[in-house]
Amino acid sequence: MMIRNYYEVHGTFNGIENTILHNRIEEMRAKTEMSYSDFLYAQLGYKKIEHGPLAKLSFEELSEVRALYITRQNKELAKMLDVKETGNINSMFKDAGIPILSYRLEDWKIAPKYEEIVKLLSFYYKNDTNLFCVINNRPLPMFYSLEVLTTKSVNIQKMLDVLMADKEINRALAKIKYKKGSKLFIQGKYCITPVNYSDEDKLLIQRKALEIACFPYSANLNKLFKTSQNLLFLSIQDNSKYLKVLDFAKAIGTTYQEIASTYGIHLPDQMPVFNKYGVLLFKLTKDQSYVIDASCDEIKCPYKEKSLMFN
């Protein structure tokens, strides 16, 4: 888990040989026939491909082609794998046992006259913990409701159609209200603006704000982890989907930690605490944290209370 945390924070294993982990890594690696790099990537969950063009790759190279694949960069992928046809790439990954879920990345396009209000509303919908929405007769935080609802489809535009048609979501949206000479701000579920937007403008603004709140990377990553709190232990709960998030992070030049942060989850660098106390500390809420010590193994820690010291 410390090896995973190092990669989640840095997006690379560069420098890990200079940490307290190095001797332990070498001790464990000596029991295998893997290179130092392959051993590290194996701890993330990457596995040797037995057949096909992917079998010749090191684990680091495999992570690179997976990053190209998940963002549909097929021309670059074909060049790296030295294959002429891009049409059989899906079957190549499927035959290798790699989930074929992928995303076409698109740049957010917001007209200048909408940009400021869209950014304000999207931040409000994603981050205000006092904003609630009723789902199945239960009042739930707006950000959580959006996460739950957006796992039903990979198609972003179809999902936005569903959200915009949902009566409870509409009730929770801030009402856009014009006030001449005012600054742009939100108060009491009203978004006060100095611009007199038409009803058509308001619908467009709300849709775009929801789009950015739900899909900050222009991709429905929610499908991989369902709710943001699962990002903390996704590597254990569903390693296949965890690897997909790592692939996506590599593809867009960011880290797993940064993606978690975008979804409101603080995933700390565990090295300082591990150096001093030999444990991993996950603070979940103000009054709740998990401490994982050396007695916790990979199978037990997400499920057995005995292996998780709850504070």
Side-chain angles (χ1 to χ4, degrees):
M1 289 190 72
M2 271 305 305
I3 292 172
R4 289 175 180 175
N5 178 258
Y6 188 92
Y7 189 84
E8 290 165 3
V9 171
H10 300 281
T12 175
F13 284 122
N14 293 343
I16 197 171
E17 68 277 4
N18 300 319
T19 70
I20 193 174
L21 302 177
H22 176 67
N23 290 340
R24 179 59 176 151
I25 289 169
E26 282 288 39
E27 181 184 334
M28 293 188 294
R29 188 184 71 85
K31 301 173 184 178
T32 74
E33 297 180 354
M34 294 182 181
S35 67
Y36 192 85
S37 176
D38 276 0
F39 179 80
L40 292 175
Y41 278 90
Q43 306 318 302
L44 298 176
Y46 291 102
K47 297 179 181 178
K48 177 68 177 174
I49 306 300
E50 298 298 334
H51 307 288
L54 303 182
K56 64 182 180 182
L57 303 176
S58 69
F59 282 19
E60 183 174 6
E61 291 170 335
L62 179 61
S63 74
E64 291 170 358
V65 299
R66 285 179 55 129
L68 292 174
Y69 179 72
I70 197 171
T71 48
R72 302 182 186 178
Q73 300 180 62
N74 287 348
K75 289 184 180 179
E76 294 84 350
L77 190 52
K79 184 177 180 180
M80 187 171 180
L81 295 174
D82 195 23
V83 296
K84 295 181 179 180
E85 299 293 332
T86 60
N88 64 348
I89 285 178
N90 271 4
S91 59
M92 184 190 305
F93 277 77
K94 186 176 181 180
D95 293 344
I98 298 172
I100 62 173
L101 176 65
S102 62
Y103 301 98
R104 185 181 303 281
L105 296 184
E106 299 178 6
D107 292 330
W108 294 125
K109 294 179 181 179
I110 310 173
K113 67 176 181 177
Y114 302 136
E115 186 172 0
E116 192 176 3
I117 190 171
V118 164
K119 287 182 177 179
L120 176 64
L121 285 171
S122 64
F123 183 86
Y124 175 59
Y125 297 148
K126 185 63 182 175
N127 295 282
D128 196 308
T129 55
N130 296 314
L131 185 60
F132 284 81
C133 179
V134 177
I135 303 293
N136 295 328
N137 296 320
R138 292 178 59 201
L140 299 172
M142 179 72 161
F143 71 88
Y144 183 79
S145 302
L146 293 176
E147 288 179 356
V148 171
L149 292 172
T150 51
T151 61
K152 297 179 180 180
S153 172
V154 175
N155 187 294
I156 289 178
Q157 295 309 316
K158 288 183 178 178
M159 196 64 253
L160 288 169
D161 290 340
V162 172
L163 293 178
M164 292 298 292
D166 189 293
K167 292 181 180 179
E168 295 301 333
I169 290 292
N170 271 273
R171 286 194 184 100
L173 297 179
K175 304 298 184 288
I176 300 174
K177 186 175 181 180
Y178 166 66
K179 185 176 181 180
K180 187 177 179 180
S182 171
K183 292 183 178 180
L184 177 66
F185 66 97
I186 292 176
Q187 185 178 56
K189 288 193 66 176
Y190 282 94
C191 180
I192 311 300
T193 171
V195 182
N196 193 7
Y197 293 109
S198 67
D199 289 342
E200 184 179 353
D201 286 336
K202 291 176 183 179
L203 284 173
L204 188 152
I205 289 167
Q206 296 286 19
R207 183 183 179 96
K208 202 66 182 176
L210 283 175
E211 184 176 3
I212 296 175
C214 295
F215 313 109
Y217 294 100
S218 74
N220 193 352
L221 296 185
N222 310 43
K223 198 73 178 174
L224 295 173
F225 50 80
K226 294 187 178 179
T227 60
S228 54
Q229 63 192 20
N230 289 333
L231 284 164
L232 279 173
F233 299 114
L234 188 63
S235 65
I236 299 169
Q237 294 167 342
D238 195 321
N239 189 259
S240 176
K241 291 180 178 178
Y242 170 73
L243 290 180
K244 278 290 186 183
V245 180
L246 291 184
D247 297 338
F248 187 86
K250 180 185 283 285
I252 65 171
T254 190
T255 65
Y256 188 92
Q257 184 190 55
E258 279 295 324
I259 287 180
S261 177
T262 301
Y263 285 89
I265 298 299
H266 174 57
L267 199 155
D269 180 354
Q270 298 283 357
M271 191 63 73
V273 172
F274 187 78
N275 265 332
K276 191 168 184 179
Y277 302 107
V279 301
L280 285 77
L281 173 64
F282 294 91
K283 191 167 183 63
L284 303 182
T285 67
K286 181 181 178 181
D287 304 311
Q288 194 179 72
S289 62
Y290 279 122
V291 177
I292 302 177
D293 65 12
S295 69
C296 174
D297 64 37
E298 188 175 14
I299 297 174
K300 291 179 181 179
C301 60
Y303 308 113
K304 302 288 186 180
E305 291 183 8
K306 186 177 180 181
S307 300
L308 282 172
M309 296 188 292
F310 182 66
N311 295 326

